[in-house]
Amino acid sequence: MKHVKVLFIIVFLFFITTTLSAQFQSWSKLMSFNANYASLKGEVTGNTFDGYAFDFTYEHVNSKGDMAGGILIAYLAGHDEDTENERRINYQSIPIYLQGKYLFGSESIMGYLQGGIGLQFSRIELTGPNLLLQDGDSGFALNLGLGGYFFTGEKIFINAAYNFNYLVNSFYQDGMVHMIKVGIGFQSI
């Protein structure tokens, strides 16, 4: 977690100094690729553990420039250790969301609030001495978050955000996954 905080501070300071001219354009298309730190709670052990995720977002901005809508596709993974029973539990999920964003701020730094609804497909694997169990599941997914776009040029921006995800799936305690993301994005008219 310490490395993630340092990375966010460096990215934030760098892009505050490079975002001097107006870049954001209404009625544009935004596409971003993001890397995420994830915090999950495993139902098998009750432990909270770290994971990672990668996601792709594609969205259209309205003519006023205050709303956007699109799709988010992610891959989420993490593992938990059950030392009492000498086994390892691997979790994987692919959530797919239709999402909307409310945009606010200046043309060089644009904040947003987002919400999404969709489906997710999950897989669990338990491994240990003389043990290999695998199972899959799917269900409902909900995504809420806040973040910002830091435009570095007319077509390139940095995306930084926090997302809360609720996955209806028996593999996660209460279905909660917290994610912090940083990524690069592209804007086209």
Side-chain angles (χ1 to χ4, degrees):
M1 185 67 176
K2 180 180 176 183
H3 300 296
V4 173
K5 289 178 185 178
V6 171
L7 177 64
F8 274 116
I9 291 169
I10 291 169
V11 168
F12 181 74
L13 292 175
F14 175 75
F15 290 104
I16 289 296
T17 60
T18 61
T19 57
L20 300 177
S21 61
Q23 324 291 330
F24 176 77
Q25 298 177 14
S26 59
W27 206 251
S28 62
K29 298 173 190 83
L30 304 175
M31 180 173 44
S32 65
F33 302 91
N34 304 287
N36 301 258
Y37 160 79
S39 175
L40 305 95
K41 187 166 186 178
E43 189 172 316
V44 174
T45 63
N47 296 336
T48 299
F49 56 94
D50 297 337
Y52 63 91
F54 298 99
D55 69 59
F56 168 76
T57 304
Y58 181 79
E59 54 201 357
H60 288 265
V61 178
N62 69 353
S63 61
K64 290 183 183 179
D66 64 348
M67 302 290 277
I71 188 168
L72 181 144
I73 301 170
Y75 171 77
L76 167 68
H79 73 272
D80 191 10
E81 300 290 335
D82 182 1
T83 54
E84 184 178 319
N85 296 310
E86 296 181 17
R87 60 184 178 178
R88 177 183 170 121
I89 302 102
N90 297 312
Y91 299 93
Q92 298 176 16
S93 183
I94 299 175
I96 302 169
Y97 299 100
L98 288 177
Q99 69 176 15
K101 288 183 180 172
Y102 171 71
L103 305 168
F104 56 90
S106 69
E107 293 180 336
S108 59
I109 301 174
M110 184 68 63
Y112 62 82
L113 298 172
Q114 76 179 40
I117 188 169
L119 299 172
Q120 59 81 26
F121 307 93
S122 295
R123 186 142 194 81
I124 187 172
E125 179 182 87
L126 280 79
T127 59
N130 302 319
L131 173 69
L132 174 59
L133 298 173
Q134 296 179 342
D135 197 7
D137 198 1
S138 62
F140 175 76
L142 177 69
N143 175 340
L144 299 172
L146 63 107
Y149 298 132
F150 303 93
F151 287 85
T152 61
E154 188 175 310
K155 296 185 178 200
I156 298 175
F157 63 89
I158 297 301
N159 181 31
Y162 164 80
N163 285 328
F164 168 79
N165 298 276
Y166 186 82
L167 306 176
V168 178
N169 186 332
S170 61
F171 302 149
Y172 301 103
Q173 181 88 20
D174 298 326
M176 293 186 289
V177 180
H178 301 273
M179 297 194 314
I180 298 171
K181 72 167 76 176
V182 175
I184 187 165
F186 305 94
Q187 173 179 241
S188 66
I189 305 290

